[in-house]
Amino acid sequence: MAQDFKKLARNVVAGVGGAENVTNLTHCMTRLRFILKDESKADDAKVKNIPGVMGLVKQGGQYQVIIGNNVAAAYKEILPLGVEGSVAQDDAPKEKQKWTPKRVGMTILDAIIGTMTPLIPAIIGGSMVKLLAMLLLMTGVAGETSSTYVLLNTIGDASFFFLPILVAVSASKKFGTNTYLAVAIAGLMVHPAFMDLMAKAAEGQAVTLAMIPITSVKYTYMIIPAIVMAWLLRYIEAGVDRITPVVMKNFLKPMLILLVGAVIAISLVGPMGVWLGNGISAVVYGIHGKLGWLAVAIVGAIWPLLVMTGMHRVFTPTIVTTIAETGSEAMVMPSEIGANMSLGGASLAVAMKTKNRELRQTALAAASSALIAGITEPALYGVAIRLKRPMIASVITGFIAGAVAGLAGLASHSMAAPGLFTSVQFIDKDNPTSILWIAAVMAISVVVSFALTLIIGFEDIPVEDDEADMTNDGSVKLMVPMTGMAKGLHDVADEVFSKGLLGKGMAIDPEDGKVVSPIAGTVTTVFPTKHAIGLTDDNGVEVLIHVGIDTVSLNGEPFTAKVAAGDRVAVGDELLEADLDAIEAAGLSTTTMVVITNSDQFKDIAPVAPGHVSFKEHVMEVFHHDKEADTEPAMA
């Protein structure tokens, strides 16, 4: 019988004391993490006895209700009941950590990436509609003054013009602040009356709010001010909440938040944010102005490396602002042509040369994704990084193709990932030969990377190492995903795992942070904070790898995911990289749990015996119900 998540949600909310008793709700891979106003109002016994609830943990100021694999579905049904939620985990209590330049940089990077990533579909969609309007104008189908052209151009421009509002929505969710107050403040920046005042200020007329001078700034298309204001809003809200009397909070608190936030936004944060954004753009394109085609070539070469680290998203605000203000972008986007297409060409070469059937299928799918749609993650993680040498071919090709694109003066009118179908974004209506240059760069990228991969070669994956085979006794073998000291789940300092609430398995105290796939199968879940990954192998075994205890509180900072949900993985493919030192510095355990979450569907789980373990040398086995197995009881 299917789980009734609406009923589960109602029962859980009632059990924790009602929606009015919940300050914030987040969820991790398996648990609903409530922050309650008054924990004494929660009925522990009632919560534990709710059908679908596996257990209850009270830890670190959180009231954690264990749901298991279906936690996201339960979370989704709880939010409409009046509970404030934030998947980003920003409001979850964290261990006090020392702020270092590296940590500050990673926090800023995480803020930009976390805010801009959800907006990319709207940005790409808008830019492609504007591109369509341009193509209609070029071909004479629509005139520049025709209503069709004007409307299409306006539809495309809306995402950019109201970008501060879109950013405010996304950033408020990222930082766990009130979305509507953030939107109200951002809306001021693009309000027609405010924009008229800014135009007058630009002409020399004094504009003040009481006695506070307001600097003339154009906020349409701007990103940084809205991000910073959404972050500041959490502190403004907290400060105003402390000073407003209880009987007046309903009207005085939102009024003061809006007033204080608006004043800070237009007098301080807005101008500084715009200057900072313009400064970053000036640096980026100043380098392009000095180095010319060489800058495009360098970015083309390092682009796959930037994608690996997530640093490529740093360019998003600059690209968006440049396209919005000038109509095109001529350094970062052209460099992506060679980077994307080269990964496709390298994957084609691997598919042709490998003797491993699964690798061939992976490489062909990755090549199609990169060449046709410009989506390179399958090729990057499934082929290039995995085999190493194809990455060298891609880097060399990216430099060559970037140089050609730079010399040709190609520029993009959109932010869509360059691929066969999106190459029209580089067409210059004033330069018909741009079409030939686009074709040339794409052809060079594919041919050179294909040839280099064949010349450099790669170490093929042996067929026997490619998948976990069903053995003669009916068991499925799973490789150990990390090197370290194995122990039983009962020794784990987390009762969710130690009591086997999520299933049987094993734990590892790791020696390094590299996590590889123990199975051949599909990535079913990569949690946003990247501390846990769910996999399903070809025999139906569901595996959860959870790195560290309570590491969800670190908001993903010590983790680098190498795969995404839906990816196909082979045994030994790298899943994620964990910074064990950072986890320990936060005062948290690095113990990693490997759990078969559908243990009840199998006869038995036989983990590795306690002691030192390493990948390829140690396995645990899952026994089917219809097979007999002569083994020791599972370490759970």
Side-chain angles (χ1 to χ4, degrees), residues 122-134:
I123 293 169
I124 291 177
S127 57
M128 292 303 289
V129 172
K130 291 185 71 172
L131 180 61
L132 173 62
M134 186 193 79

Side-chain angles (χ1 to χ4, degrees), residues 7-241:
K7 182 178 180 181
L8 173 64
R10 290 194 300 269
N11 289 337
V12 169
V13 171
V16 300
E20 63 278 5
N21 193 39
V22 180
T23 299
N24 187 257
L25 169 65
T26 60
H27 77 84
C28 62
M29 202 73 171
T30 57
R31 315 179 197 190
L32 295 167
R33 294 170 173 257
F34 291 91
I35 298 178
L36 302 180
K37 296 176 182 176
D38 184 354
E39 200 169 287
S40 66
K41 292 183 179 180
D43 189 333
D44 295 355
K46 181 178 179 181
V47 172
K48 290 179 181 178
N49 290 321
I50 296 173
V53 172
M54 297 180 176
L56 174 65
V57 175
K58 290 184 280 187
Q59 182 178 357
Q62 295 181 337
Y63 194 87
Q64 303 174 11
V65 181
I66 304 155
I67 303 297
N69 288 344
N70 295 316
V71 66
Y75 173 85
K76 183 179 179 181
E77 295 296 342
I78 289 177
L79 296 185
L81 301 178
V83 174
E84 286 287 332
S86 172
V87 178
Q89 304 292 337
D90 286 329
D91 289 328
K94 298 178 177 65
E95 296 285 341
K96 189 173 181 180
Q97 299 178 37
K98 182 180 179 181
W99 285 94
T100 63
K102 178 181 177 181
R103 178 166 165 73
V104 171
M106 289 300 295
T107 301
I108 294 173
L109 176 62
D110 178 68
I112 294 174
I113 293 173
T115 298
M116 295 307 300
T117 298
L119 303 182
I120 288 176
I123 293 169
I124 291 177
S127 57
M128 292 303 289
V129 172
K130 291 185 71 172
L131 180 61
L132 173 62
M134 186 193 79
L135 292 175
L136 293 178
L137 185 65
M138 286 175 59
T139 55
V141 174
E144 194 166 359
T145 58
S146 70
S147 58
T148 297
Y149 172 79
V150 172
L151 284 172
L152 282 176
N153 201 52
T154 303
I155 291 170
D157 195 50
S159 299
F160 296 95
F161 190 89
F162 294 105
L163 196 58
I165 294 177
L166 298 182
V167 171
V169 172
S170 183
S172 67
K173 293 180 179 179
K174 170 65 181 173
F175 297 121
T177 55
N178 187 291
T179 298
Y180 304 103
L181 288 172
V183 167
I185 293 171
L188 164 66
M189 297 178 176
V190 293
H191 193 286
F194 179 75
M195 292 174 65
D196 286 342
L197 281 176
M198 292 299 93
K200 293 176 181 178
E203 295 172 358
Q205 180 177 323
V207 176
T208 61
L209 177 60
M211 298 180 65
I212 303 172
I214 306 299
T215 304
S216 175
V217 176
K218 181 180 178 182
Y219 290 106
T220 52
Y221 313 112
M222 290 292 106
I223 291 171
I224 293 179
I227 293 179
V228 175
M229 277 311 305
W231 172 69
L232 281 178
L233 200 57
R234 64 192 302 178
Y235 299 103
I236 295 173
E237 287 180 6
V240 170
D241 184 65

Side-chain angles (χ1 to χ4, degrees), residues 530-567:
K530 298 171 284 189
H531 71 291
I533 288 182
L535 310 163
T536 301
D537 93 327
D538 296 332
N539 298 298
V541 180
E542 297 176 2
V543 184
L544 169 66
I545 302 174
H546 192 289
V547 182
I549 297 175
D550 205 33
T551 45
V552 65
S553 64
L554 299 179
N555 203 27
E557 292 180 11
F559 303 100
T560 303
K562 306 294 186 179
V563 293
D567 285 356

Side-chain angles (χ1 to χ4, degrees), residues 474-478 541 596 602 604-606 620-624:
S475 69
V476 178
K477 290 185 176 181
L478 284 75
V541 180
I596 310 302
F602 302 98
D604 198 6
I605 312 296
M620 65 177 180
E621 294 184 84
V622 178
F623 294 90
H624 282 257

Side-chain angles (χ1 to χ4, degrees), residues 598-610:
N598 60 341
S599 297
D600 57 344
Q601 298 179 19
F602 302 98
K603 182 176 181 178
D604 198 6
I605 312 296
V608 177

Side-chain angles (χ1 to χ4, degrees), residues 444-457:
I444 289 171
S445 302
V446 176
V447 172
V448 173
S449 61
F450 183 90
L452 281 176
T453 301
L454 293 180
I455 293 170
I456 298 173

Side-chain angles (χ1 to χ4, degrees), residues 142-468:
E144 194 166 359
T145 58
S146 70
S147 58
T148 297
Y149 172 79
V150 172
L151 284 172
L152 282 176
N153 201 52
T154 303
I155 291 170
D157 195 50
S159 299
F160 296 95
F161 190 89
F162 294 105
L163 196 58
I165 294 177
L166 298 182
V167 171
V169 172
S170 183
S172 67
K173 293 180 179 179
K174 170 65 181 173
F175 297 121
T177 55
N178 187 291
T179 298
Y180 304 103
L181 288 172
V183 167
I185 293 171
L188 164 66
M189 297 178 176
V190 293
H191 193 286
F194 179 75
M195 292 174 65
D196 286 342
L197 281 176
M198 292 299 93
K200 293 176 181 178
E203 295 172 358
Q205 180 177 323
V207 176
T208 61
L209 177 60
M211 298 180 65
I212 303 172
I214 306 299
T215 304
S216 175
V217 176
K218 181 180 178 182
Y219 290 106
T220 52
Y221 313 112
M222 290 292 106
I223 291 171
I224 293 179
I227 293 179
V228 175
M229 277 311 305
W231 172 69
L232 281 178
L233 200 57
R234 64 192 302 178
Y235 299 103
I236 295 173
E237 287 180 6
V240 170
D241 184 65
R242 282 195 295 268
I243 65 172
T244 50
V246 175
V247 295
M248 303 174 70
K249 280 189 186 294
N250 285 345
F251 63 90
L252 186 59
K253 179 181 174 181
M255 184 189 81
L256 290 177
I257 291 173
L258 195 57
L259 276 175
V260 173
V263 171
I264 292 175
I266 62 178
S267 65
L268 183 63
V269 171
M272 291 181 65
V274 171
W275 295 333
L276 178 61
N278 290 339
I280 294 172
S281 296
V283 171
V284 171
Y285 295 107
I287 294 173
H288 183 215
K290 293 288 185 181
L291 300 181
W293 62 268
L294 183 58
V296 184
I298 293 171
V299 175
I302 66 173
W303 192 256
L305 307 178
L306 294 175
V307 173
M308 285 169 54
T309 60
M311 289 291 292
H312 65 303
R313 293 298 184 204
V314 173
F315 290 101
T316 299
T318 299
I319 296 171
V320 172
T321 303
T322 303
I323 292 177
E325 293 185 343
T326 68
S328 63
E329 195 280 328
M331 188 181 88
V332 181
M333 293 302 298
S335 72
E336 283 190 61
I337 303 174
N340 289 1
M341 304 300 282
S342 68
L343 285 167
S347 296
L348 283 177
V350 169
M352 187 183 82
K353 192 172 181 180
T354 182
K355 292 181 173 58
N356 187 301
R357 183 182 64 180
E358 183 175 344
L359 178 58
R360 182 180 297 111
Q361 293 173 347
T362 299
L364 284 173
S368 300
S369 175
L371 297 175
I372 296 174
I375 299 172
T376 59
E377 280 78 5
L380 183 62
Y381 297 119
V383 179
I385 296 174
R386 181 179 177 188
L387 302 178
K388 298 181 178 64
R389 293 181 197 170
M391 175 64 85
I392 298 174
S394 178
V395 169
I396 295 173
T397 304
F399 183 88
I400 296 171
V404 176
L407 288 169
L410 292 181
S412 176
H413 303 278
S414 170
M415 237 197 79
L420 186 61
F421 286 163
T422 55
S423 60
V424 292
Q425 68 188 301
F426 294 96
I427 296 176
D428 184 350
K429 63 183 178 67
D430 298 322
N431 181 17
T433 61
S434 61
I435 299 174
L436 298 177
W437 280 112
I438 295 166
V441 172
M442 294 176 73
I444 289 171
S445 302
V446 176
V447 172
V448 173
S449 61
F450 183 90
L452 281 176
T453 301
L454 293 180
I455 293 170
I456 298 173
F458 57 91
E459 186 177 346
D460 203 1
I461 297 177
V463 176
E464 62 270 19
D465 288 343
D466 189 51
E467 56 188 45

